[in-house]
Amino acid sequence: MRVEPLPGAPAATVDTDGERLLAVADYHAGIEAGLRYEGVELQSAAEDRRERLLTCLDRARADRLVVVGDLGHAIGDPFDDERAELAALFDALDVPVTLVKGNHDGSLEPVLADLDADIEVTPGHGTRIGSVGFAHGHTWPAPDVLEADVLCVGHEHPVVRLEDSVGGAQKERAWLRGSLATDPFAEQFDQPVDDAPDIVVFPAFNDRSGGTWVNVDGQEFLAPFLPEGMTDAEAFLLDGTRLGAYQRV
């Protein structure tokens, strides 16, 4: 397996192109400032997010960090709190970073350019590192990204609703993993897609960012190619528990 979830964390190790990567999606730095703008007051968890990410990097012994979109939270010009969180994060990082641009990262490049950071920003339609493809998921991955053995996407923030025998329910972040269904992509690009890769949908790293209830009837997915773009997808909890087909959890 080239993409292995880190047990107990919304992060995965990726071995490809002679490197060990740590991949995370939907970090959403500065989310509390965005929520405050909407009238929701929460104490900043910036330090906790940073420490959790640094712990994951240490556990993975990673050579590079790949953020599969939405490193920041503000869709427009970032708030001061978001800029400060990003500055502190990159101050603490000691590995190069690849950011696959997400829908919340549109105004982030000038902010990142002002930091003393080793960071590469790729287009939102994705990139490949060796045999693994990365795309945030808010738009269709490029055809060359689909030529990877595994496609990693974020954006969806998948969560499952779990109920107990007395009717209590709880929400848990989840991984989705299956095979790419080629027909939607062939139709989108008007060309055949050969050798369908596996697809891995990452849980959100930020635990305050909400998510798509993948096992609740009537819940629509966010990505334009999901759920039609994957077959035989199974859900896994962060602790590695295999739940089976996500629709039947």
Side-chain angles (χ1 to χ4, degrees):
M1 302 283 276
R2 297 185 185 274
V3 179
E4 281 287 351
L6 203 61
T13 58
V14 181
D15 291 304
T16 184
D17 204 26
E19 280 190 310
R20 166 154 282 203
L21 317 175
L22 181 81
V24 302
D26 299 287
Y27 190 86
H28 286 276
I31 190 172
E32 291 85 6
L35 293 172
R36 193 178 309 124
Y37 183 78
E38 297 171 5
V40 179
E41 291 288 341
L42 287 175
Q43 185 175 354
S44 173
E47 183 176 353
D48 174 68
R49 279 190 290 274
R50 182 173 67 250
E51 291 305 317
R52 286 192 293 114
L53 182 58
L54 294 175
T55 298
C56 289
L57 282 165
D58 186 58
R59 287 176 60 195
R61 299 182 179 179
D63 305 306
R64 173 179 295 273
L65 171 65
V66 178
V67 181
V68 194
D70 288 0
L71 170 62
H73 182 71
I75 293 178
D77 191 42
F79 293 101
D80 288 345
D81 286 357
E82 180 174 330
R83 292 170 182 266
E85 180 173 349
L86 290 170
L89 173 63
F90 280 94
D91 237 14
L93 290 173
D94 60 1
V95 295
V97 178
T98 297
L99 168 61
V100 183
K101 210 168 181 179
N103 55 305
H104 283 254
D105 298 322
S107 301
L108 215 53
E109 283 175 89
V111 177
L112 298 175
D114 287 340
L115 301 178
D116 182 18
D118 183 357
I119 182 165
E120 171 195 17
V121 181
T122 77
H125 58 64
T127 190
R128 280 174 54 193
I129 301 176
S131 59
V132 179
F134 300 91
H136 180 57
H138 64 299
T139 189
W140 292 80
D144 65 304
V145 177
L146 299 178
E147 295 174 5
D149 292 339
V150 185
L151 173 65
C152 300
V153 300
H155 187 55
E156 205 64 55
H157 307 189
V159 293
V160 292
R161 177 186 171 90
L162 302 178
E163 296 184 357
D164 59 29
S165 58
V166 294
Q170 65 184 52
K171 178 182 77 172
E172 295 285 348
R173 283 177 288 176
W175 299 85
L176 299 181
R177 183 162 197 149
S179 298
L180 193 81
T182 58
D183 286 351
F185 295 90
E187 183 178 345
Q188 173 69 17
F189 298 118
D190 196 26
Q191 65 182 61
V193 176
D194 301 320
D195 300 325
D198 287 342
I199 181 170
V200 180
V201 184
F202 277 54
F205 191 85
N206 192 313
D207 56 5
R208 290 179 163 175
S209 56
T212 299
W213 298 82
V214 298
N215 65 331
V216 175
D217 288 341
Q219 177 78 75
E220 294 185 0
F221 281 65
L222 300 174
F225 51 86
L226 294 179
E228 294 82 8
M230 61 183 179
T231 62
D232 305 322
E234 294 189 315
F236 299 81
L237 297 181
L238 299 191
D239 66 4
T241 301
R242 184 177 186 173
L243 299 177
Y246 74 88
Q247 307 97 321
R248 296 194 292 273
V249 172

